[in-house]
Amino acid sequence: MVAAPFRYRRTTSFEEAVAALCECGDGAKLLAGGQSLVPMLNLRVARPDWVIDINPVGAEPIEKLDGVLRLPALTRHRAIEQSELVRRCCPILAAATAHVGNPRSRARGTIGGSLAHADPSGELPCVAVALGAEVTVRGPDGDRRLPVRDLLVSFLTTSLRPDEVITEVRVPLQPARAGWSFLELTRRSSDWMVVGVAALVELDAAGGVAGASVAIGGVADRPWLVPPEPLADLLGEPPEEALLARVADRVSGMLDPGDDVHASGAYRRRMAAVLGRRALAEAAARANQEPDR
Amino acid sequence: MSDPGRQRIVLEVNGDRREAWVLPSESLLDVLRDALGHHEVRYGCGEGVCGTCTVLLDGEAVSACLLLAVQAEDRSVLTVRGLASGGEPHPLQVSFLRNGAAQCGFCTPGMLLAAVALLQREPRPDRERIRRELIGNLCRCTGYSKILDAVEQYAVQAAGRSGTDG
């Protein structure tokens, strides 16, 4: 298949991109890495009147500043995967990024693009939700910030207004003695997740659980951030296998995933329990090894 | 606003300066094949999954089907035809031949270019690293083992030729 005709505009700044969005109206799509949009164009699933290319805007280096890791929206997956700073300050993000697509899609794909695409089976939306990441969004009236969990509304749908563009992603740095795990089940290694779990576990000085954040992908129309209530059973307790299994079972019991060609809903729920237990255990084990950052 | 007509792009393909009049909706793959005669770049899935249209864009392996031709303006593109020099095949191509790493040959250009990109970035990848890097290049004939053999053997030889660190 070849894409239906569209008009193309190249922009060199986010301001210019916003102006172009205002001018071109509803029929415009922003082109970042193009690893999701261009297949949709080629399959004619998407038929925009205008494609506004923001690649020439480029990306500044990833930086660490007062408690957050700042990633410009057009940071390519490969840059995240290879960044020493990300590996040190936010290893779960580097690890999850290595699971995105194939090496060619990681050479082009961007973190801002992945979040704006809002695929419920995407790795980065799931991890961003678990991390409590925020995006900065630019529109005609200036910038606003919102948590990724408020950005992601439903399947391929965000709360971005038609004239807004994501300019950066801000990931809060994790406390000392916090461990992480990202596990996913895929049919083939470059596929989207059938189910994926991102878990962060913080331990107190006595080795009890001080906090946990878990997001599950592939089980709803957007990554599901596990609410505090089922995770509260962990607090103050040592992260023993039986407890983690009980919590993971409770969490998976709250899910109602749908059936599709890749897996039945029941299988997905079962896998969420298995991966949830393993991810909590791995995160707790890593928290035990974690030196002060 | 400009009209949806063709626009002129200039790019470098295998070291030669080329120009083409392209529609914004045309992929680099379309333009390489239809306008510039590079039929060695093959159309497989059109979704960036199969890897048979892999080209190196400024040295980096990308899916030509997922890049708009207009995005290749002023960029340097390498296809498999640009790997050989002076009529001699690239040593990785020789290694593919020696190891029987090509059967029908449809995936071979993409495999070669993906491997070349890896080896430029990491001169000494181990077999598992090669396997992971070629995840996005599908082959329906070989079962992959001989492709891995060929890339691995070439990597070892190339490191031996240049390597004082071995």
Side-chain angles (χ1 to χ4, degrees):
Chain A
M1 292 273 291
V2 292
F6 52 76
R7 294 196 275 186
Y8 172 83
R9 190 186 280 198
R10 185 179 281 145
T11 59
T12 56
S13 69
F14 287 124
E15 292 69 27
E16 215 185 304
V18 169
L21 286 172
C22 292
E23 215 174 301
C24 300
D26 277 355
K29 284 294 283 180
L30 291 176
L31 173 65
Q35 303 300 291
S36 300
L37 175 60
V38 181
M40 291 170 77
L41 295 174
N42 288 349
L43 294 167
R44 301 197 177 193
V45 176
R47 300 186 68 151
D49 300 320
W50 281 94
V51 168
I52 298 167
D53 185 0
I54 54 174
N55 282 280
V57 174
E60 304 279 297
I62 301 165
E63 56 182 351
K64 182 177 152 182
L65 31 92
D66 42 284
V68 298
L69 196 62
R70 177 185 175 274
L71 301 109
L74 288 162
T75 305
R76 309 227 184 246
H77 300 325
R78 174 155 300 148
I80 296 173
E81 231 183 313
Q82 294 180 339
S83 159
E84 276 307 314
L85 185 63
V86 177
R87 287 188 197 190
R88 194 170 67 245
C89 298
C90 192
I92 190 172
L93 182 60
T97 303
H99 288 276
V100 176
N102 60 45
R104 293 184 311 283
S105 35
R106 295 199 294 278
R108 295 292 303 167
T110 68
I111 187 165
S114 283
L115 297 179
H117 183 57
D119 192 311
S121 299
E123 285 85 0
L124 297 184
C126 179
V127 167
V129 164
L131 284 164
E134 291 184 328
V135 288
T136 305
V137 165
R138 188 157 303 164
D141 304 323
D143 287 358
R144 66 183 177 115
R145 259 192 216 153
L146 73 161
V148 172
R149 67 173 179 279
D150 295 338
L151 171 76
L152 305 172
V153 173
S154 182
F155 185 74
L156 307 191
T157 306
T158 67
S159 58
L160 290 177
R161 294 192 279 265
D163 53 7
E164 285 181 324
V165 53
I166 298 173
T167 62
E168 62 176 14
V169 181
R170 299 167 70 91
V171 180
L173 296 176
Q174 299 305 299
R177 285 194 47 102
W180 61 276
S181 175
F182 176 78
L183 299 176
E184 66 173 17
L185 175 75
T186 55
R187 298 296 298 256
R188 288 164 297 261
S189 41
S190 57
D191 272 350
W192 283 273
M193 59 170 75
V194 174
V195 178
V197 178
L200 300 157
V201 173
E202 189 189 346
L203 299 182
D204 59 29
V209 174
S213 174
V214 180
I216 308 179
V219 292
D221 61 352
R222 55 179 169 165
W224 188 63
L225 181 67
V226 177
E229 196 266 325
L231 297 176
D233 291 355
L234 296 169
L235 297 180
E237 302 293 326
E240 279 161 9
E241 193 77 25
L243 172 65
L244 301 182
R246 207 159 61 236
V247 169
D249 279 342
R250 258 192 81 192
V251 167
S252 87
M254 299 166 76
L255 299 172
D256 186 19
D259 303 331
D260 66 19
V261 290
H262 301 297
S264 67
Y267 181 67
R268 283 193 152 90
R269 193 185 305 118
R270 181 77 200 116
M271 286 304 104
V274 171
L275 295 180
R277 166 172 54 78
R278 289 182 192 163
L280 285 169
E282 186 171 58
R286 283 196 175 117
N288 258 323
Q289 300 157 1
E290 197 58 38
D292 288 344
R293 271 183 292 255
Chain B
M1 290 189 189
S2 63
D3 101 2
R6 290 181 179 271
Q7 64 188 81
R8 179 173 167 269
I9 61 163
V10 175
L11 71 166
E12 190 188 290
V13 183
N14 298 337
D16 296 331
R17 186 178 174 276
R18 302 292 299 270
E19 57 173 83
W21 286 87
V22 305
L23 292 171
S25 56
E26 284 179 313
S27 69
L28 177 62
L29 174 62
D30 296 333
V31 169
L32 283 171
R33 289 183 62 87
D34 300 342
L36 300 175
H38 284 279
H39 300 128
E40 73 277 18
V41 188
R42 289 171 183 155
Y43 182 98
C45 66
E47 299 173 42
V49 173
C50 76
T52 195
C53 72
T54 302
V55 296
L56 303 193
L57 180 75
D58 293 331
E60 197 158 45
V62 300
S63 303
C65 69
L66 297 191
L67 204 72
L68 304 181
V70 286
Q71 294 182 282
E73 169 82 27
D74 287 334
R75 310 288 294 265
S76 159
V77 173
L78 187 80
T79 76
V80 74
R81 223 195 280 177
L83 276 185
S85 63
E88 290 299 310
H90 187 281
L92 180 61
Q93 291 173 305
V94 175
S95 188
F96 264 60
L97 283 169
R98 196 183 294 128
N99 284 281
Q103 285 185 32
C104 87
F106 197 76
C107 71
T108 311
M111 287 286 180
L112 288 164
L113 289 163
V116 163
L118 168 66
L119 294 163
Q120 278 170 358
R121 228 171 33 239
E122 300 171 32
R124 301 289 299 271
D126 62 18
R127 194 175 177 90
E128 186 51 31
R129 185 73 192 88
I130 297 166
R131 186 192 297 277
R132 289 213 66 82
E133 193 69 13
L134 296 182
I135 270 171
N137 290 80
L138 305 185
C139 172
R140 302 291 79 168
C141 308
T142 63
Y144 301 103
S145 314
K146 288 174 191 295
I147 294 172
L148 294 173
D149 291 346
V151 178
E152 196 178 17
Q153 206 176 83
Y154 166 72
V156 169
Q157 283 166 358
R161 273 196 301 276
S162 66
T164 48
D165 61 344

